[in-house]
Amino acid sequence: MKHGGDLLSYENYYEGELIDFSSNINPLGMPKGLEKVLIDNLTELEAYPDIKYRKLKKSVGKYLGCEEDLVLVGNGAVDLIDSFTKMAKRVLVTTPSFSEYEERALAHGKDVEKMPYKDDFTIDLESIADIVKKDDLLILGNPNNPTGLRIDEKTLIKIYQIVKSKQANLVLDEAFFEFAPIDYDSINIFKEYNYENIGIIRAATKFFALPGLRLGYGCTSRVLKEKVETFQMPWSVNCFADLAGRYIFDQKDYIKKSKQYIEKERNYLLEKLDEIEVIRPYQTHTNYILIKLLNLDEEYVFNFLLKRGIIVRKCSNFKALDSNHIRVAIKDRKNNMKLVKELINLDQGRNINEE
Amino acid sequence: MKHGGDLLSYENYYEGELIDFSSNINPLGMPKGLEKVLIDNLTELEAYPDIKYRKLKKSVGKYLGCEEDLVLVGNGAVDLIDSFTKMAKRVLVTTPSFSEYEERALAHGKDVEKMPYKDDFTIDLESIADIVKKDDLLILGNPNNPTGLRIDEKTLIKIYQIVKSKQANLVLDEAFFEFAPIDYDSINIFKEYNYENIGIIRAATKFFALPGLRLGYGCTSRVLKEKVETFQMPWSVNCFADLAGRYIFDQKDYIKKSKQYIEKERNYLLEKLDEIEVIRPYQTHTNYILIKLLNLDEEYVFNFLLKRGIIVRKCSNFKALDSNHIRVAIKDRKNNMKLVKELINLDQGRNINEE
């Protein structure tokens, strides 16, 4: 499984409904009221979306707290990341991180340089200073997938200054930003720099639980925005994503409740997983947890859980992770309890077929 | 106006609802029943689309009459055209044709060679034989936009044989295919060649009246399919486009009725426009008509009609067309009559502000 959420490939392996811990989206589901907005506007299907996405960009600008003239929108975050890689001379990715950074760069025939995280999954500033060169693009997940860690503010500013001083560009993939108890806002931090040499990219996919919608958005400098938009296809954002974007960012109660919910479940799940001897959960700032398997292989654990109706994300196809890691999403209490229960069964050495 | 359908830019110029003749979509609107399908499946928003689009491709394969293993799907036809341009060494476009062929090629830093149509907008086979070289991509609209003409079967096969013999590739953009009284089916013609060196691309946008949905699809060889899919982004087709594609292609009554409707209105509109002295409509196989303005400028005619609540497509930004052409969509009888009426007013030399 290269990406999470590929349930269809596994539906014959379990009788009953699979619980998908491989896809890390907000367990509260999409914002209330969105369905009505879409239903009331289904005839928008019959018109082209505004090719300039004027209303959508206004909405995003207000939500992010940046000028709407600096807003980017795309067919998921990956559409925007794709355009940034296209303009780079070389693309630098940390490992492990979301595989699409490298894939998009390779699709455009770019050289890719990989920079491992330190053992604790924090960033090695020195290696960044050594490696980054003019016209490079450095892509960082903030928080990073699958590790779950965000970059602390001081480090982030240092990284930016290194990248900028080398006339390279930095992309922060903040698809999981709202889940994280981050004590800074990157949009705000880089405002004083007019977002020169930086693109900050977020998405409706994870936090607003809308992976089917395909809405990515972000903020960058005037210069970079013009380049990105040259690379993007016309009408890359469909009419529902356009409509939804003009609604969801105003849902303050939903946003607040979601953050509180994830924090509570994250604490619960981390505490419970910590008690299980055969696994070691990593610290996380997001809505998923990277888990180290002690003397167990991802394939065995995957199949063990699949037999019990649970899909988790195997991690060996993340560069720099071997086959003893899995990633699990943080879901609602009932499902989280189910995951804990089955991992306890695993811990107690139950046979793979034993109920 | 670079593309049709940009109503938002003009809504302050006319009190009342603008009639959009610039956007050439099926005047019958989307297939009946589609709204219900989408409403009944709104929760699909909360899941990633199948990354392999298995069900959708099966549907498309059945509709096109080609193996589902050879089916491509994308975020509108332009997504697929984009991937084909990316793999080309050089991109050859006819003029006038849809501007995005060239735009996508340029976005990937490709050289673009332009080949004018003959005066009657048919293809100059000799110039194709002269120009096409190994690894080139020749893109042809079939029917072509904005001229409205389809390629006749014999010519099409000759073009293909030239392109193939040179180890180049041919893309047929058949976004308007179903509107045309075409006496052959390109999917069927090239089956015996296993679609080697050819990609045939269609879309739900025009015929199924779903420009907001963003669903392009097509058929190509195994070799080219693999390349195209390497270039495409994951989940490039949103969940509604996925759902709709599994419904609309089965709507046989709608498809039949739409074809009949367009044929009737096309005949009506061509006949009426032919009677107007100050314009000269070109022959067309599609749901739009290219019109030559005699001693009139597109800007004047555009504004004249805008004042009367009608938006048409100016054509001077199509390469090889000067500022004395407009393109109009074929709409329902009431709107077609309104267009005819206002063009008669134009013909009678009314002042731009005269009601």
Side-chain angles (χ1 to χ4, degrees):
Chain A
M1 182 159 51
K2 192 182 147 201
H3 289 288
D6 186 17
L7 281 198
L8 202 58
S9 295
Y10 296 100
E11 61 185 15
N12 294 328
Y13 291 83
Y14 181 72
E15 280 179 35
E17 203 167 337
L18 288 166
I19 308 170
D20 185 12
F21 278 87
S22 74
S23 167
N24 36 20
I25 69 160
N26 187 336
L28 294 186
M30 63 180 133
K32 216 176 139 182
L34 176 60
E35 296 200 359
K36 186 173 177 343
V37 170
L38 299 183
I39 290 168
D40 289 348
N41 292 281
L42 277 176
T43 53
E44 292 219 3
L45 277 168
E46 296 180 342
Y48 278 91
D50 172 19
I51 199 160
K52 294 179 184 162
Y53 296 105
R54 282 162 275 209
K55 290 177 188 170
L56 175 60
K57 285 180 175 175
K58 195 169 177 177
S59 236
V60 171
K62 192 179 153 206
Y63 178 59
L64 291 180
C66 75
E67 271 181 68
E68 60 192 82
D69 279 0
L70 304 181
V71 168
L72 294 168
V73 295
N75 187 34
V78 72
D79 179 15
L80 298 172
I81 292 169
D82 181 77
S83 290
F84 274 99
T85 64
K86 213 181 287 190
M87 71 174 82
K89 195 164 173 189
R90 187 176 64 151
V91 176
L92 312 176
V93 301
T94 48
T95 58
S97 64
F98 184 39
S99 60
E100 285 300 326
Y101 307 157
E102 185 180 354
E103 298 286 335
R104 299 323 306 156
L106 294 175
H108 299 303
K110 303 294 178 179
D111 288 333
V112 175
E113 188 79 28
K114 296 189 195 81
M115 302 189 296
Y117 281 103
K118 291 195 277 191
D119 284 346
D120 62 356
F121 295 136
T122 60
I123 285 175
D124 184 357
L125 271 177
E126 275 178 35
S127 75
I128 287 186
D130 284 348
I131 291 171
V132 176
K133 294 197 169 41
K134 187 165 184 280
D135 295 328
D136 278 351
L137 173 71
L138 170 63
I139 308 180
L140 296 174
N142 186 44
N144 186 54
N145 178 11
T147 57
L149 296 186
R150 59 114 173 90
I151 306 163
D152 73 78
E153 184 170 357
K154 276 189 184 164
T155 306
L156 180 59
I157 293 172
K158 277 184 195 154
I159 293 169
Y160 173 70
Q161 282 163 342
I162 293 170
V163 170
K164 193 162 181 287
S165 71
K166 304 230 179 178
Q167 296 174 269
N169 290 313
L170 173 64
V171 156
L172 297 179
D173 175 6
E174 299 195 331
F176 297 95
F177 183 83
E178 292 99 327
F179 290 118
I182 288 184
D183 46 6
Y184 62 83
D185 182 345
S186 42
I187 301 283
N188 197 34
I189 289 179
F190 296 107
K191 187 170 279 175
E192 63 174 294
Y193 300 92
N194 298 314
Y195 308 102
E196 281 169 26
N197 303 75
I198 190 170
I200 301 163
I201 296 170
R202 297 185 188 169
T205 306
K206 307 293 185 178
F207 187 74
F208 293 95
L210 294 165
L213 185 72
R214 316 312 300 138
L215 176 62
Y217 55 93
C219 169
T220 190
S221 68
R222 246 168 253 282
V223 173
L224 290 174
K225 180 177 186 265
E226 200 184 311
K227 287 192 192 172
V228 166
E229 294 191 339
T230 306
F231 292 137
Q232 282 188 289
M233 286 180 276
W235 311 292
S236 66
V237 175
N238 69 82
C239 68
F240 295 111
D242 187 357
L243 275 166
R246 285 140 58 188
Y247 176 78
I248 57 177
F249 302 131
D250 269 339
Q251 305 311 304
K252 296 201 175 63
D253 285 348
Y254 169 89
I255 292 168
K256 190 176 161 195
K257 201 174 146 195
S258 297
K259 289 181 180 200
Q260 288 168 344
Y261 191 94
I262 283 294
E263 190 179 357
K264 196 170 134 224
E265 288 307 309
R266 179 167 53 219
N267 292 338
Y268 167 80
L269 202 52
L270 278 173
E271 189 190 316
K272 293 294 177 191
L273 295 178
D274 242 350
E275 292 167 5
I276 300 173
E277 289 197 6
V278 75
I279 60 172
R280 181 80 34 90
Y282 288 93
Q283 184 53 37
T284 180
H285 297 112
T286 56
N287 66 325
Y288 52 86
I289 302 173
L290 182 67
I291 295 174
K292 186 165 190 166
L293 309 169
L294 307 179
N295 298 316
L296 282 171
D297 178 83
E298 61 172 12
E299 207 59 40
Y300 179 82
V301 175
F302 181 87
N303 288 322
F304 183 94
L305 293 170
L306 177 58
K307 284 268 179 191
R308 286 153 175 81
I310 290 173
I311 297 268
V312 296
R313 175 72 158 82
K314 291 182 269 187
C315 289
S316 62
N317 67 346
F318 281 105
K319 297 274 155 59
L321 286 184
D322 44 26
S323 65
N324 57 355
H325 290 87
I326 58 168
R327 191 195 66 195
V328 298
I330 293 165
K331 297 181 75 77
D332 60 19
R333 180 60 60 97
K334 188 181 143 207
N335 283 318
N336 293 336
M337 284 171 68
K338 163 92 173 151
L339 176 70
V340 168
K341 184 187 138 204
E342 298 303 350
L343 286 171
I344 289 171
N345 279 334
L346 177 81
D347 191 41
Q348 291 173 348
R350 301 232 175 201
N351 184 285
I352 191 165
N353 286 313
E354 200 178 331
E355 283 307 302
Chain B
M1 182 158 51
K2 191 182 145 198
H3 290 287
D6 187 16
L7 282 197
L8 201 58
S9 296
Y10 296 100
E11 61 183 16
N12 294 329
Y13 291 83
Y14 181 72
E15 278 180 37
E17 203 167 337
L18 287 166
I19 308 170
D20 184 13
F21 277 87
S22 74
S23 167
N24 35 19
I25 68 160
N26 187 335
L28 294 186
M30 64 180 132
K32 215 176 139 185
L34 176 60
E35 295 200 1
K36 185 174 177 342
V37 170
L38 299 183
I39 290 168
D40 289 349
N41 291 281
L42 278 176
T43 53
E44 291 217 4
L45 277 169
E46 295 179 344
Y48 278 92
D50 171 20
I51 198 160
K52 294 177 183 163
Y53 297 104
R54 281 162 277 207
K55 291 177 188 170
L56 176 60
K57 286 179 176 175
K58 197 171 175 174
S59 241
V60 172
K62 194 179 151 205
Y63 178 60
L64 292 181
C66 76
E67 272 182 68
E68 60 192 81
D69 279 2
L70 304 181
V71 167
L72 294 167
V73 295
N75 187 35
V78 71
D79 180 14
L80 298 172
I81 292 169
D82 182 76
S83 290
F84 274 99
T85 64
K86 214 182 287 190
M87 71 173 84
K89 197 163 170 188
R90 188 176 64 151
V91 176
L92 312 176
V93 301
T94 47
T95 57
S97 65
F98 184 40
S99 61
E100 284 301 325
Y101 305 157
E102 184 180 355
E103 298 286 335
R104 298 324 303 156
L106 294 176
H108 299 303
K110 305 292 177 179
D111 288 333
V112 176
E113 188 79 27
K114 296 190 195 82
M115 302 188 298
Y117 281 103
K118 290 194 279 190
D119 283 348
D120 61 356
F121 295 136
T122 61
I123 285 175
D124 184 356
L125 270 177
E126 275 179 38
S127 77
I128 288 185
D130 284 348
I131 292 171
V132 175
K133 293 200 169 40
K134 187 166 185 280
D135 295 329
D136 278 352
L137 174 71
L138 170 62
I139 309 180
L140 296 175
N142 186 43
N144 186 55
N145 177 10
T147 57
L149 296 187
R150 59 113 173 91
I151 306 164
D152 72 78
E153 184 171 357
K154 276 189 184 165
T155 307
L156 181 59
I157 293 172
K158 277 185 196 154
I159 293 169
Y160 173 69
Q161 282 164 342
I162 294 169
V163 170
K164 193 162 179 287
S165 71
K166 304 229 180 184
Q167 295 175 270
N169 290 313
L170 174 64
V171 156
L172 297 180
D173 175 5
E174 299 196 331
F176 296 96
F177 181 83
E178 292 100 327
F179 291 118
I182 288 184
D183 47 7
Y184 62 85
D185 182 346
S186 43
I187 301 284
N188 197 36
I189 290 180
F190 296 107
K191 188 172 278 174
E192 62 174 293
Y193 300 93
N194 298 313
Y195 308 103
E196 282 169 24
N197 303 73
I198 191 170
I200 300 164
I201 296 170
R202 298 186 188 167
T205 306
K206 307 292 185 179
F207 187 73
F208 293 94
L210 295 165
L213 185 72
R214 316 310 301 137
L215 176 60
Y217 56 95
C219 170
T220 191
S221 68
R222 247 168 253 284
V223 174
L224 290 174
K225 180 177 186 266
E226 200 185 311
K227 286 190 192 171
V228 166
E229 293 190 340
T230 306
F231 292 138
Q232 283 187 289
M233 285 181 276
W235 311 292
S236 66
V237 175
N238 69 82
C239 68
F240 294 112
D242 187 357
L243 275 166
R246 285 141 58 188
Y247 176 79
I248 57 176
F249 302 131
D250 270 339
Q251 304 312 304
K252 297 200 175 63
D253 285 348
Y254 168 89
I255 293 168
K256 191 177 159 194
K257 200 173 147 195
S258 297
K259 288 181 180 198
Q260 288 168 344
Y261 190 95
I262 283 294
E263 191 180 355
K264 195 171 135 221
E265 289 307 309
R266 181 167 51 219
N267 292 338
Y268 167 80
L269 204 50
L270 278 174
E271 190 191 316
K272 293 294 177 191
L273 295 179
D274 242 351
E275 293 167 4
I276 300 174
E277 289 196 8
V278 76
I279 61 172
R280 179 82 31 91
Y282 287 93
Q283 184 51 37
T284 179
H285 297 110
T286 56
N287 66 325
Y288 51 84
I289 303 173
L290 182 66
I291 295 175
K292 186 163 188 167
L293 308 169
L294 306 181
N295 298 316
L296 282 171
D297 178 81
E298 62 172 12
E299 206 60 40
Y300 179 82
V301 175
F302 181 87
N303 288 324
F304 182 94
L305 293 169
L306 177 57
K307 284 267 179 191
R308 286 153 175 81
I310 289 172
I311 296 270
V312 296
R313 175 71 158 84
K314 291 181 269 187
C315 289
S316 61
N317 67 345
F318 281 106
K319 298 275 154 61
L321 286 184
D322 42 28
S323 66
N324 56 356
H325 291 87
I326 58 168
R327 190 194 68 196
V328 299
I330 294 165
K331 298 180 74 79
D332 60 19
R333 180 61 60 97
K334 188 181 143 206
N335 283 318
N336 293 336
M337 283 171 70
K338 162 94 174 151
L339 176 69
V340 168
K341 184 186 137 203
E342 298 302 349
L343 285 171
I344 289 172
N345 279 333
L346 178 79
D347 191 42
Q348 293 173 347
R350 304 232 171 200
N351 185 284
I352 192 162
N353 286 314
E354 200 177 331
E355 284 307 303

